[in-house]
Amino acid sequence: MRARVDRLFAWRGLVAGGLMLLAVLARAATAAAPAPDDELVAIGRAIYLEGRLPSGAALVGTRMGTKVRGQAAACVNCHRRSGMGSVEGDYLVSPITGHALFGTGGRVVATMDPVRGKLMNQAHEPYTDTTFAQAVRDGMHVSGRPMAEMMPRFELGERELRGVSAYLRTLSSTWSPGVDEDVLHLATIITPDVDARRKQAFLDTLRAAVLQKNGNTMPGKRHMVMAAEFALNTERKWDLQVWELQGDPSTWGAQLEEKYKAMPVFAVLSGLSNSTWAPVHAFCEQQGVPCWFPSVDAVPEQAKDGQYALYFSRGVALEAAVFAAHVQTLPRAQRPQRVIQVLRDEDPAHSGAEALAQALAPLGIRVERRVVRAADDLRAALKGGGARDAFFFWLRPDDLRALDGIAPPSAAVFFSSEMGEGEGAPLPAAWRSAARLIYPYELPQKRGANLAYFRAWLNQRRIAVVDERMQNEVFFAVNYFSDTVSEMLDNLYRDYLIERGENELSRREGRRAEESTRDRQQLRGIAVRSIEAGNTGGSPGYSMRAPGRAVITAEENLGKRTGTSVYPSLSLAPGQRFASKGAYIVRFAHAEGADLATESDWIVP
């Protein structure tokens, strides 16, 4: 171990001098950019983002002998909204911001290549108007070599070229709001519908993870920082604001604007809601503030087309789509003729119910919605269900407990795991034997390896398990954000954060899964020491939201990891906003306990 550390610091010493010189160049504005011409910038923006010329005609380019037009030819497809580039398979798309092309603010230093590892941008002479035209029209690099054939050769006039040049000079030209020289300002958002116990567990987990991150960047403790970040001195302390909303959702937008005006933040880190998230999502899109993996049940429908929010899944809308996909696989004679949805009058339930009605409509299945306003209404809501019907329950645990003493119907019964707490749902025994769950998580019997480190981490910090799914989501959000920001170095631009979040997720999870062998030995020791110290926090169990101790209780739970979260796999691609895309249909394996048996494979609707 000592030798490994010595080698690491020796390597850092070799590269530190060169990297620090690059840092000086990157941070110093060696050439002040002229004030942008708004009209030219608008021309360039339309070409870059939409592939649209000032005349309204489509942009035309030639790639590998084939014409591409309009949106398909737009620069944003490869160079992204930030202009910081991307990776297309084995092909590295370089940054084309004003800093990178024209040297308007010194060198751009970025790590961009997940295929070949860390790769610093190669130096080249700044482009001039003449060499920029040659690059765009003829595919000729400023060095005189031909560019890769993936780069289209565009048909652009002089004014259109000047427009593109003017727009590129605006891309990622200054740090985004919320970024200081040494501090990154962040916020988390909590809606008023969250009960006090879950809110406290959320804040305990979030603050502990942020505290750990800040502790690793204090003087003398920079061992957790990657080498390039260490040498360039780009690591910053995080300042986390907690924005608790009050009152009716119609007022949340104004509340957020006031909080943001008082303290602009670089991103919204995690977040918690049991009701609507739509006003928060709208705020983030309007302000261009990244909303980074909040823990919410109801994801706004417009999220799929947004630019600045990344979510774990579609929430209740995903459950609706998975149920409809499951029904569609059944032989026609086995499909329900009617689906009766039972729900409270609250937003997550109604957004899920609406999504299910829309998904079942093409199948010709009648859908009813029965709203209960008190637990006593449940008995009435179950009346009239026949063998060819199916009930879908969008209910919280308190209503599930109220099913005690009510006989299950002869119809098939399905439950939302998002709202009912999955295998922790407090269903009476008679209902457990009949219930089917839409289950958008890794199965309890398998996810122990994924959560081994997380559970040991909770134990070390004496944080009680109140809602394991939510607390793991918070832990994941903080650590993935930290990994992503580290890789960005000093390029702290919001668009670039989202792009890196899309590009790095599956690689990051795959890398963490490969570390499972090393983690097994380390975490077994941590778990044993936690137990010996009496740091158990409650009774054992794997229930997603059941209080219990966060310890490793069986050897098989230190098996092969598939990631670091409660989900079987997380991945994103450019433009995707939901990292987990499917669910199982499961039933309870026993009248008691949390073990589940699958009734379907992983369904991706």
Side-chain angles (χ1 to χ4, degrees):
M1 181 64 183
R2 177 60 182 272
R4 180 182 176 189
V5 172
D6 290 342
R7 288 196 300 272
L8 172 62
F9 278 91
W11 183 86
R12 284 177 171 175
L14 290 173
V15 302
L19 288 174
M20 287 179 179
L21 176 59
L22 292 179
V24 171
L25 294 172
R27 287 178 182 257
T30 57
D37 181 316
D38 291 345
E39 184 177 351
L40 283 177
V41 170
I43 289 172
R45 181 185 296 109
I47 292 171
Y48 188 94
L49 296 177
E50 305 171 31
R52 177 170 53 83
L53 301 177
S55 65
L59 173 67
V60 178
T62 302
R63 178 190 290 130
M64 302 177 69
T66 302
K67 294 286 187 181
V68 287
R69 292 179 169 82
Q71 185 65 60
C75 315
V76 70
N77 294 324
C78 294
H79 293 283
R80 311 303 307 275
R81 293 176 69 89
S82 69
M84 289 295 293
S86 62
V87 175
E88 300 288 335
D90 292 333
Y91 179 63
L92 179 65
V93 181
S94 299
I96 58 169
T97 63
H99 292 347
L101 290 184
F102 307 112
T104 58
R107 278 289 311 279
V108 173
V109 182
T111 59
M112 298 182 54
D113 191 348
V115 177
R116 289 167 285 180
K118 306 294 184 295
L119 181 67
M120 299 301 173
N121 298 95
Q122 297 178 358
H124 61 72
E125 292 295 321
Y127 279 85
T128 65
D129 290 344
T130 299
T131 55
F132 179 68
Q134 291 173 342
V136 174
R137 289 171 172 163
D138 305 322
M140 186 62 64
H141 191 268
V142 67
S143 64
R145 61 174 172 78
M147 292 181 173
E149 292 186 357
M150 285 289 292
M151 169 70 180
R153 281 56 171 166
F154 292 104
E155 301 171 13
L156 290 176
E158 290 299 323
R159 184 164 176 77
E160 295 158 352
L161 273 172
R162 285 192 286 125
V164 173
S165 173
Y167 181 65
L168 294 180
R169 292 172 190 270
T170 71
L171 290 181
S172 303
S173 58
T174 60
W175 291 332
S176 295
V179 180
D180 295 339
E181 188 75 22
D182 300 309
V183 178
L184 195 64
H185 298 279
L186 307 169
T188 196
I189 298 173
I190 305 174
T191 59
D193 47 84
V194 179
D195 68 75
R197 192 159 177 262
R198 288 190 76 224
K199 180 171 72 173
Q200 191 59 54
F202 170 83
L203 290 173
D204 288 346
T205 307
L206 178 61
R207 285 169 171 158
V210 171
L211 181 65
Q212 180 183 44
K213 185 271 167 197
N214 281 338
N216 288 335
T217 60
M218 293 171 61
K221 294 188 177 182
R222 299 181 63 87
H223 55 281
M224 296 297 288
V225 179
M226 73 181 207
E229 193 177 16
F230 177 87
L232 293 171
N233 194 28
T234 58
E235 180 71 354
R236 289 165 170 82
K237 178 182 177 181
W238 292 1
D239 170 49
L240 179 68
Q241 306 287 319
V242 178
W243 292 353
E244 294 194 50
L245 302 177
Q246 306 295 330
D248 190 87
S250 63
T251 69
W252 293 355
Q255 293 178 46
L256 289 169
E257 288 175 8
E258 284 298 313
K259 293 177 185 295
Y260 182 76
K261 183 178 179 181
M263 174 53 73
V265 295
F266 179 64
V268 172
L269 178 60
S270 189
L272 186 62
S273 175
N274 280 352
S275 63
T276 179
W277 191 251
V280 181
H281 178 87
F283 162 79
C284 290
E285 292 294 328
Q286 290 162 7
Q287 295 291 344
V289 176
C291 181
W292 191 265
F293 293 101
S295 293
V296 295
D297 294 330
V299 176
E301 176 63 25
Q302 59 268 34
K304 66 180 186 297
D305 300 317
Q307 296 292 339
Y308 293 102
L310 301 179
Y311 294 94
F312 286 102
S313 78
R314 293 165 57 198
V316 291
L318 172 64
E319 291 185 314
V322 167
F323 175 76
H326 169 68
V327 168
Q328 193 168 11
T329 65
L330 299 175
R332 288 188 176 274
Q334 296 180 22
R335 293 180 185 176
Q337 295 178 343
R338 179 179 61 163
V339 173
I340 302 168
Q341 302 191 79
V342 181
L343 63 157
R344 283 273 188 168
D345 192 10
E346 56 177 290
D347 182 80
H350 280 274
S351 61
E354 182 61 31
L356 183 54
Q358 293 179 7
L360 291 176
L363 302 181
I365 297 173
R366 290 190 296 124
V367 180
E368 292 183 15
R369 193 177 305 188
R370 298 180 181 178
V371 178
V372 297
R373 291 176 172 80
D376 292 343
D377 296 339
L378 283 171
R379 194 180 299 275
L382 294 175
K383 289 183 177 179
R388 293 300 307 276
D389 295 328
F391 281 88
F392 198 108
F393 294 89
W394 302 98
L395 296 177
R396 299 285 186 192
D398 285 346
D399 286 320
L400 299 183
R401 292 186 184 93
L403 292 171
D404 194 15
I406 302 175
S410 58
V413 292
F414 293 83
F415 292 85
S416 162
S417 290
E418 286 276 359
M419 298 191 64
E421 300 189 356
E423 72 275 18
L427 285 168
W431 284 82
R432 288 172 68 87
S433 61
R436 300 296 181 268
L437 310 179
I438 314 300
Y439 197 77
Y441 317 113
E442 180 58 283
L443 298 172
Q445 302 92 316
K446 294 182 179 181
R447 67 172 177 262
N450 285 9
L451 301 190
Y453 181 87
F454 168 65
R455 288 170 174 167
W457 181 87
L458 288 177
N459 262 314
Q460 285 186 312
R461 285 151 185 82
R462 302 179 184 273
I463 298 174
V465 181
V466 173
D467 180 339
E468 186 176 71
R469 186 261 289 189
M470 176 270 288
Q471 289 171 268
N472 175 254
E473 288 179 342
V474 173
F475 183 75
F476 175 90
V478 172
N479 283 279
Y480 185 42
F481 186 83
S482 179
D483 290 348
T484 305
V485 170
S486 292
E487 294 278 353
M488 292 166 66
L489 298 178
D490 216 28
N491 305 299
L492 294 176
Y493 319 119
R494 289 167 172 172
D495 285 319
Y496 190 41
L497 171 69
I498 293 297
E499 293 159 9
R500 293 304 297 246
E502 295 169 347
N503 290 340
E504 295 294 312
L505 183 55
S506 58
R507 181 175 78 99
R508 186 252 193 195
E509 288 296 272
R511 184 175 68 246
R512 293 298 178 91
E514 291 174 359
E515 296 169 355
S516 61
T517 301
R518 183 189 67 195
D519 289 345
R520 175 182 287 117
Q521 296 299 325
Q522 177 185 3
L523 292 173
R524 183 184 294 112
I526 293 172
V528 170
R529 288 194 298 273
S530 292
I531 295 170
E532 290 174 347
N535 182 19
T536 55
S539 58
Y542 295 112
S543 178
M544 295 287 279
R545 286 186 176 174
R549 63 180 181 180
V551 298
I552 305 160
T553 56
E555 174 64 25
E556 61 267 24
N557 290 327
L558 290 172
K560 183 178 179 181
R561 290 169 67 181
T562 58
T564 62
S565 76
V566 298
Y567 300 94
S569 62
L570 295 174
S571 65
L572 289 169
Q576 291 185 351
R577 293 294 171 260
F578 311 116
S580 184
K581 302 167 180 66
Y584 296 103
I585 308 293
V586 302
R587 58 179 173 80
F588 289 100
H590 310 287
E592 301 292 339
D595 285 351
L596 301 176
T598 56
E599 296 217 336
S600 76
D601 293 329
W602 183 254
I603 299 173
V604 179

